[in-house]
Structures are given as C-alpha cells and as structure tokens.
Amino acid sequence: SGFFLGFSPPLFVALVVYSVGGTAASLYLGRNLVGLNFQQEAQEANYRYGLVRVRENAESIAFYGGEDSERRLLGNRFGAVVTNYAKLIVTSRNLQFFTSFYRFLIQILPAAVVAPLYFAGKIDFGVINQSSSAFNHILGDVSLVVYQLETLAGFSAVIDRLGEFEEVVKAPEVARAKLAAAEEGGELEELASRIQVEQAAGGAGDVLLQVEGLTVKTPRGERALVQSLDLQVKREEPVLVVGASGSGKTSTLRAIAGLWTVGRGRVVRHAEVMFLPQRPYMVLGSLRDQLLYPTWAGAATDTSASADSPPAASSAPADGGNGASSNGSTGSSSSGGGGDSAATAQGNNGSVRPTPTDAELAAALRAVQLEGVLQRYGSGGGGAHSGDSVALNVVADWAGTLSLGEQQRLAFARVLLSRPALVLLDESTSAMDVVNESALYAAVAEAGITALSVGHRPSLVRFHKKVLRLEATEQASPSTKPSWSLISSDSLTAADLEELAFTTAE
C-alpha cells in the first residue's frame, strides 16, 4: 500500500474500490448460499430418515398395501432435495462466473491505470509489470471473501446445524439449571411448573415409590392428563394402572421414570426402578448383549465390527460346538459357559452385581418361555451348556428375527437378571397370549420384584393388589377434583371386571 500511495495514488484507489466492490458483489450474488446449504443438509436428512422408516416398517407397509403412498412421499422428499440442489447450483454458477471475471479483470486493471503515466514518459515499461505484480499480490490478500465465499457459506451452514443440535441437546441441562436457580431463589411458581423426580439415598421401609400431588400435562401445557395423583407403591403390593385411551396412563409412567417433566408434583423413588416399554429396544449385537442390556452394557460384546455385516444367525447352528457365531463374535464370558467375568454393574441404589454367567442367562430365557430360541441357534454337540453358549454368541438383527411377543419376553428376561425392586410395565405383555403373560407375571412375583403395570386386559387384575383407575379429562386448567381412584383388586366383582374391560378398550 505504501508503494501505491507514493507511486500512484490512482492505483491505490483502484485497488480499494475494486476489492470493496468485488466483495460486495460476491456477497450479493451469494447471499442465499448459507440458507441453501442449510436446506440441502436438512432435505437430505429428511430423505434419509424417510428411507430408514420405510426399511424399519417394511412389513407393516406391505400389509397395508401402502407402497404407492410411500413411493409418493419419498418422491416428494427426493424432489425437495433435487429442487433445492438446483437452486444451489444456479447460485454457485452465478458466483463462479463473477469470480472468474473478477480474477480475469485484475490482469489488465493495473496496466490500464498506470498506462497514461507510461505514455506521458513519466515511468519505464518495467514499472507496469512491477505495479501489476504488486497489485495482484495485495488484492489476493484482501479478496479472501470473494475467492472463498462458497466454502465459507457451506461451513456456516454446517455450524448453524450443529448450533441447533447443541441447543436441543443442552435444553434439559438449561431447564435443570433454571429449576435449580428458582429453587435457590425461592421462586415457588417456577418450581411448581415442573415435575420433580428424586432418587432417595436410603430406603423407606416397604415403600418403593412415593408420588405426591402429581399433575401431568400435555407437552404444551394446555390440558391436564392426570391431576393431583397421590400414590404409594409398597413392596409386594403391585399396582395396575387402567383407564380409557388418552387418560394419561403411559404419561404417568414417563413422569415417574423422569422422562416427562411438564406438570407439577413430586416423585420419590426409594429403590431401584426399571422401565419396560411396549416395544422393547433390541441392541446391535449378540443374544447375550440383549440380555445384559442395559444393566451390564459395559460388559457386553463389542460387535461394532460385525454390526455392519450380514446377520450370522441363520448359519450359526451349523457351525458345530465351536462356542462362537459364524462371524467370530464372542460374548462377555467364555464360550465354555463359565462367564466368571470380573465386570460388575452398579444400580441406581448403589448395589453392585457381577455379570451373570451363561448358565444364568440361559435360565432367564427358559423362565420367560424362550427356550426355543436357545434350541434354534444352539449347537447340537458338546452338551447343553456348550449349545447355550453358542446360541448366546449369535449375532443377528434381533428386532427383525424375533416377533414382538418374543421381544417382550426377552425384556422380561432382562428384568429377571437385573432384579430391580420395582419395574414399570407399559403394556409390556400386549403382544403375548394369556398363558405366557401369566407365566411372566408369576416369575416376576417369585423373584421378589414389585410391578407397576399399565394394561388393558382384565386378566392382569389378579396379578396386582391395587388398581389405579385414571379418568380422562378435557380441562385446560387444573381442577381441585382428582382424576383418579385407587381400589383394592380383591374388592372387584365380575361386573367390575367387565366394566373395566369395556372402559379400557375405548
């Protein structure tokens, strides 16, 4: 810049005007690049999500005959990807045209500015080359935005998406911090607007769960699903939650589990609690991994290398007594069934338990009527224990291999192995027949586990000491009248059971 100011002020002015004008023109032409890149990421993500949903629900779609509808929906999403990409290409093309023109013009601009001085005899011809070289060098430094605008726009779009993701991830932490600040500041109204869930450090005798003044609201808070619920769940006194659809049965369990905070009230858990949803989660890995999840997840097999390969379940039984699946994956214990791993798990009540042996895992499967799975994937040679180890080491897509009823029974096997004091069952036997349902509830009771169940079948009443009946409400604001009633199951008559079946089926 000192050279231009001392030698040719017009060249310096041309440098400033050209760089500022080029930057402004680039920003104008590429003003939509950030938004288009952001939308491209979002549209591609939506399209991938749609493909994954079709893959996961292919059987249901086939039963409904919804192939044409899904094809149309996926076509619309793919069309959105192509349309946005076309806009992105047009904007990038225009920007590239201008950038190329900008690069070409700087080759002749310095010569055009200093040419009058040369023709006037004030400078030599070599000075023109010197001024062009210096002009190009300095202009390249001040034209970073012009040359890299497309890259900067793509980077900005990624940063925006990551920023939104971070905000969503940190939202619970922000809510907890806000709640803690309200508690320290004594803002009772703020405290009353959230459901407080506490894990008591010590026990409270036979009381496993205590619910005080629980009001559960819809996500936006416009309607109360459950109002002023007071409940104590004691050891060996299981409770069945019933009510019409939309009365807040599952939402109540979610509030107790700490997954639903919209509302007010207090939940105190005095013992270890385990939650079983209606559709169990099947992890990627072996049958052993399914049983160890989530209590001993750290001791489960690392099957990340085999998770992307084709499932080996169909060929595992033909491998003989090798004690491993066909893809070479092994379990957390030795294939000989010893399972004396040093790994342990710590419950939320501080209890420490060693990893179950292969014999204990197999016994849990038999207790939930899944012996057929062991026989299906186990080896015929080397004895029963060796066959069990082979079956436990099989890696497969268990969500697709097992029926929903079998998955629910496997979830009960997790409960029998983990042995929590209290288990929350959200229609966890809905895909089972009455015989298997009775066997599983009997096994849970025999293991000393108390159940808090949501169900629609009158056959569940005999496995519970109390029945909590929730009444549906349409009120937009809390009422002083509770929307629930708690009765003893022994006091229910046949007529009550018939009414219960009718009410819960609505």
Side-chain angles (χ1 to χ4, degrees):
S1 59
F3 170 79
F4 292 122
L5 283 174
F7 170 72
S8 178
L11 190 61
F12 177 78
V13 173
L15 172 67
V16 174
V17 172
Y18 192 69
S19 60
V20 172
T23 301
S26 296
L27 292 175
Y28 176 78
L29 292 174
R31 64 190 183 279
N32 297 327
L33 276 178
V34 175
L36 289 174
N37 278 286
F38 183 90
Q39 284 299 318
Q40 190 65 25
E41 296 282 347
Q43 297 296 347
E44 290 179 1
N46 290 338
Y47 180 60
R48 289 193 298 268
Y49 177 71
L51 292 175
V52 171
R53 277 184 54 83
V54 170
R55 178 180 177 181
E56 292 180 346
N57 300 280
E59 183 177 2
S60 299
I61 294 171
F63 276 128
Y64 278 113
E67 295 88 350
D68 293 338
S69 177
E70 292 299 325
R71 186 182 297 110
R72 184 177 65 257
L73 292 175
L74 288 176
N76 292 339
R77 293 195 175 194
F78 184 71
V81 173
V82 174
T83 300
N84 189 83
Y85 193 63
K87 295 179 180 178
L88 184 61
I89 289 177
V90 171
T91 304
S92 299
R93 179 204 62 190
N94 296 337
L95 183 61
Q96 288 294 334
F97 282 167
F98 172 78
T99 304
S100 299
F101 174 77
Y102 184 86
R103 291 178 182 272
F104 173 76
L105 189 59
I106 62 176
Q107 305 300 323
I108 61 175
L109 182 61
V113 172
V114 299
L117 298 178
Y118 171 73
F119 289 116
K122 296 181 180 180
I123 60 174
D124 296 331
F125 184 78
V127 176
I128 298 178
N129 292 332
Q130 293 177 0
S131 61
S132 297
S133 177
F135 187 89
N136 291 338
H137 178 75
I138 297 177
L139 189 63
D141 294 337
V142 298
S143 300
L144 178 65
V145 175
V146 177
Y147 297 147
Q148 302 295 331
L149 181 61
E150 194 169 354
T151 303
L152 292 173
F155 178 74
S156 178
V158 173
I159 293 299
D160 287 345
R161 283 183 61 82
L162 291 177
E164 288 188 359
F165 177 75
E166 185 180 20
E167 289 177 2
V168 173
V169 171
K170 289 187 176 181
E173 297 181 8
V174 173
R176 285 194 292 268
K178 185 177 180 181
L179 190 63
E183 186 175 9
E184 292 178 0
E187 300 177 17
L188 299 181
E189 292 184 1
E190 182 68 28
L191 285 173
S193 64
R194 291 288 176 180
I195 299 174
Q196 303 176 62
V197 180
E198 304 173 9
Q199 182 69 46
D206 290 335
V207 178
L208 304 177
L209 177 71
Q210 189 166 353
V211 179
E212 301 174 354
L214 178 64
T215 295
V216 181
K217 295 184 178 181
T218 51
R220 295 183 179 180
E222 67 273 10
R223 184 167 68 92
L225 300 173
V226 180
Q227 300 182 42
S228 306
L229 174 62
D230 293 315
L231 176 68
Q232 271 193 351
V233 180
K234 297 183 179 180
R235 196 179 305 276
E236 298 183 358
E237 290 187 6
V239 178
L240 175 63
V241 183
V242 299
S245 178
S247 59
K249 302 183 297 297
T250 299
S251 300
T252 300
L253 290 194
R254 289 173 180 168
I256 294 174
L259 304 179
W260 193 291
T261 60
V262 182
R264 56 187 174 84
R266 183 167 174 259
V267 177
V268 182
R269 302 187 301 214
H270 296 283
E272 186 175 3
V273 179
M274 190 171 183
F275 185 87
L276 260 63
Q278 184 175 10
R279 178 175 289 275
Y281 173 65
M282 298 288 107
V283 301
L284 298 176
S286 65
L287 183 58
R288 175 183 284 105
D289 297 334
Q290 311 304 320
L291 294 168
L292 295 179
Y293 183 87
T295 308
W296 297 276
T301 307
D302 182 8
T303 57
S304 58
S306 60
D308 296 330
S309 60
S314 58
S315 59
D319 291 339
N322 295 331
S325 62
S326 60
N327 63 357
S329 176
T330 59
S332 60
S333 57
S334 63
S335 60
D340 297 329
S341 172
T344 58
Q346 182 172 356
N348 52 25
N349 63 345
S351 60
V352 178
R353 285 162 289 182
T355 304
T357 63
D358 284 6
E360 292 171 335
L361 297 177
L365 288 175
R366 293 186 174 93
V368 297
Q369 316 298 315
L370 284 180
E371 185 175 5
V373 175
L374 292 173
Q375 295 175 351
R376 192 186 316 166
Y377 299 116
S379 171
H385 292 294
S386 176
D388 292 345
S389 296
V390 171
L392 292 171
N393 287 328
V394 171
V395 176
D397 177 16
W398 296 106
T401 302
L402 301 178
S403 67
L404 180 57
E406 289 175 324
Q407 294 178 41
Q408 289 183 342
R409 280 182 273 168
L410 191 146
F412 271 85
R414 294 171 177 170
V415 173
L416 296 179
L417 290 168
S418 298
R419 292 185 179 271
L422 177 65
V423 60
L424 309 180
L425 306 174
D426 182 16
E427 300 188 51
S428 301
T429 59
S430 59
M432 301 183 201
D433 56 84
V434 177
V435 175
N436 277 316
E437 178 183 78
S438 301
L440 293 184
Y441 268 97
V444 167
E446 184 178 351
I449 303 171
T450 304
L452 176 59
S453 309
V454 167
H456 285 186
R457 295 178 180 174
S459 59
L460 291 173
V461 174
R462 63 192 179 97
F463 302 110
H464 300 82
K465 296 290 184 66
K466 297 179 180 179
V467 176
L468 174 63
R469 185 167 182 172
L470 301 181
E471 304 289 344
T473 176
E474 297 294 334
Q475 293 153 302
S477 60
S479 170
T480 57
K481 181 182 178 181
S483 60
W484 55 273
S485 59
L486 185 63
I487 56 178
S488 172
S489 60
D490 296 334
S491 63
L492 293 175
T493 63
D496 294 331
L497 293 178
E498 291 181 3
E499 181 185 358
L500 179 64
F502 175 76
T503 302
T504 57
E506 289 181 347

